[in-house]
Amino acid sequence: MIVGLALTPALDVTCEVDRLAIGGITRPSRVTRVAGGKTLNALRVAHALGGSVHAVAALGGHSGRWVHDLLRAERVPCTIVELSSATRTCTAIVESGSAVTSTDLYEPAPAFDVEDWDRFEAAVALLPADNATIVLSGSLPPGKRALETVPALLRSSRARGGRIVIDGSGAGLGATAHLADLVKVNRAEAGELLKRSFPDAESACSALSSELGCDVIVTDGVRGAVAIWNGRMMGVPAPTRAGRFPAGSGDAFLGGLLSGIERGDDVEAALRAARDAAERNSRVPGQGILAGA
């Protein structure tokens, strides 16, 4: 089973516009909403590809109930931890034409109070970790306690037999990367963690592998990705076609990878599934939504 710790989920909104009018009014031609945040995006993709998943999602307020409704509609198994603060909304604005970038507006994640943390810890403790893949993707809630509690949760899950997968950034990545069996980041996040810049994914992947001593994947947008798995370096080719909706493609990559590993694919096949999922995500609106094969 793939268990996702969704500490900072979001209502993800994609607005398609002809042209973004800075300082004026822009009316979208289409709006797509999904239960988002990096962990939920990755789990939705893994679920769509046949993986056995379960999300522990911290949700609050009207927006949190909306996210829960979307998860239920997609039949993604989940445990909901009620938050005292409202779930954030993150918006991607995609202009028409041939551009392969979006303008993204991400609300900050809400802080947890003491009771929120107690409820989340209790929910994670009830889930089976034996032979499970425990996924922590995205940022952590603000505050010192996150940097203490989340590593403790990961250590406990690992002690119960879980395999830890981290796809993070910032202080949260720094606090958890050393606990991982697999770290998947982009080139910029690798540089942030190691406090130096890298010219390409290959050099970033080599440095991360040496620093952390675990399996590592570094993605590099339309340039593809590089993996070091069981000490062996492998390249992941660039996508054959870049779509108009790049937001969530890294999450789709992770979901495709995890679903492949769960069904017993070798690593090369799992990486091909990851690349395919990322490319399919970029062709349709909505983070973690896959275009038809």
Side-chain angles (χ1 to χ4, degrees):
M1 177 180 286
I2 304 164
V3 175
L5 308 185
L7 286 154
T8 55
L11 177 63
D12 277 353
V13 182
T14 300
C15 297
E16 297 175 64
V17 304
D18 290 331
R19 183 179 63 86
L20 179 60
I22 304 298
I25 295 174
T26 301
R27 291 184 170 86
S29 58
R30 180 167 55 168
V31 178
T32 304
R33 296 177 177 87
V34 300
K38 291 177 70 66
T39 295
L40 294 185
N41 292 339
L43 261 62
R44 180 166 50 254
V45 168
H47 177 67
L49 295 175
S52 173
V53 308
H54 193 99
V56 182
L59 300 171
H62 295 296
S63 52
R65 287 190 287 275
W66 199 343
V67 170
H68 189 192
D69 288 344
L70 290 167
L71 288 171
R72 283 188 295 201
E74 293 173 317
R75 298 187 178 182
V76 176
C78 57
T79 297
I80 301 303
V81 177
E82 188 69 28
L83 269 191
S84 56
S85 300
T87 296
R88 63 189 177 137
T89 298
C90 295
T91 304
I93 302 170
V94 181
E95 297 181 82
S96 61
S98 59
V100 294
T101 59
S102 60
T103 299
D104 301 328
L105 307 173
Y106 289 178
E107 290 183 16
F112 283 28
D113 63 22
V114 173
E115 290 77 16
D116 294 335
W117 279 118
D118 290 344
R119 287 191 292 270
F120 198 90
E121 289 182 82
V124 173
L126 290 174
L127 290 174
D130 294 354
N131 299 315
T133 298
I134 311 299
V135 181
L136 177 67
S137 188
S139 60
L140 299 186
K144 181 180 178 181
R145 180 160 176 182
L147 301 178
E148 299 169 347
T149 299
V150 175
L153 285 173
L154 297 179
R155 282 190 290 267
S156 175
S157 297
R158 195 177 206 186
R160 292 187 289 139
R163 172 177 165 82
I164 308 300
V165 176
I166 303 294
D167 178 8
S169 60
L173 178 61
T176 58
H178 65 287
L179 300 170
D181 297 286
L182 167 64
V183 169
K184 178 261 170 194
V185 292
N186 63 38
R187 178 161 58 97
E189 290 161 346
E192 184 181 22
L193 178 63
L194 298 181
K195 296 180 172 54
R196 53 193 170 106
S197 60
F198 295 98
D200 49 42
E202 182 175 339
S203 58
C205 197
S206 294
L208 268 183
S209 177
S210 297
E211 178 72 20
L212 300 175
C214 66
D215 294 332
V216 173
I217 299 172
V218 175
T219 59
D220 201 10
V222 296
R223 289 170 289 277
V226 174
I228 295 182
W229 201 278
N230 291 331
R232 183 162 63 97
M233 180 174 285
M234 292 163 279
V236 180
T240 56
R241 183 176 58 163
R244 292 180 53 231
F245 305 95
S249 290
D251 307 331
F253 185 103
L254 181 60
L257 177 80
L258 295 175
S259 65
I261 292 171
E262 189 192 42
R263 66 176 168 258
D265 291 354
D266 60 35
V267 64
E268 288 90 349
L271 287 168
R272 287 194 296 272
R275 174 181 177 269
D276 178 69
E279 187 170 337
R280 289 169 62 189
N281 175 94
S282 75
R283 298 208 302 263
V284 292
Q287 294 89 325
I289 302 295
L290 303 181

